[in-house]
Amino acid sequence: QVQLVESGGASVQAGGSLTLSCAASGPLYHSYTMGWFRQAPGKEREGVASIDGDGHTGYASSVKGRFTVSRDNAKNTLYLQMDSLKLEDTAMYYCAAGRPRGGYYSLERDDYDYWGQGTQVTVS
């Protein structure tokens, strides 16, 4: 069982930066693929960024080059550095843990078993 708690959400101006954190508890954190998802009102939850246990990363095309996902296995913490924020980045952001086939990164919701409660990011 993995428990996840996000933090760092805030209201920021367009063009600004923000870093989200996700603290994980539970055994074998380092073996899980971790992901960041977001959900805007009236929209489906979508994958934003993912990092596997070996540090390989994947990003949605909408955030590639602006967002950076990283993990600190010693601290059981996942991060999402968000730069050049746009209005359309406004959403509730969730972190998730899972074990996709092959152990690779994934932006598919069905590959994740554990979810945090979310943290709100508002860009204006």
Side-chain angles (χ1 to χ4, degrees), residues 1-37:
Q1 186 83 10
V2 176
Q3 295 176 331
L4 305 170
V5 179
E6 303 95 335
S7 61
S11 295
V12 296
Q13 291 189 335
S17 297
L18 199 62
T19 300
L20 304 183
S21 299
C22 174
S25 61
L28 302 175
Y29 163 76
H30 64 277
S31 69
Y32 283 89
T33 286
M34 301 298 296
W36 286 102
F37 290 75

Side-chain angles (χ1 to χ4, degrees), residues 34-38 44-51 57-69 80-81 83 86 88-89 93 105-108 112:
M34 301 298 296
W36 286 102
F37 290 75
R38 67 185 181 187
E44 295 279 323
R45 189 173 297 190
E46 62 174 353
V48 173
S50 175
I51 183 168
T57 59
Y59 298 91
S61 57
S62 59
V63 306
K64 199 167 187 178
R66 300 189 297 119
F67 289 12
T68 303
V69 60
L80 184 66
Q81 173 68 39
D83 299 317
K86 303 177 180 180
E88 52 265 40
D89 294 321
Y93 283 72
Y105 59 81
S106 170
L107 298 180
E108 298 297 324
Y112 292 86

Side-chain angles (χ1 to χ4, degrees), residues 63-83:
V63 306
K64 199 167 187 178
R66 300 189 297 119
F67 289 12
T68 303
V69 60
S70 62
R71 64 192 297 169
D72 185 335
N73 289 338
K75 296 182 178 180
N76 278 16
T77 303
L78 176 73
Y79 302 98
L80 184 66
Q81 173 68 39
M82 304 185 293
D83 299 317

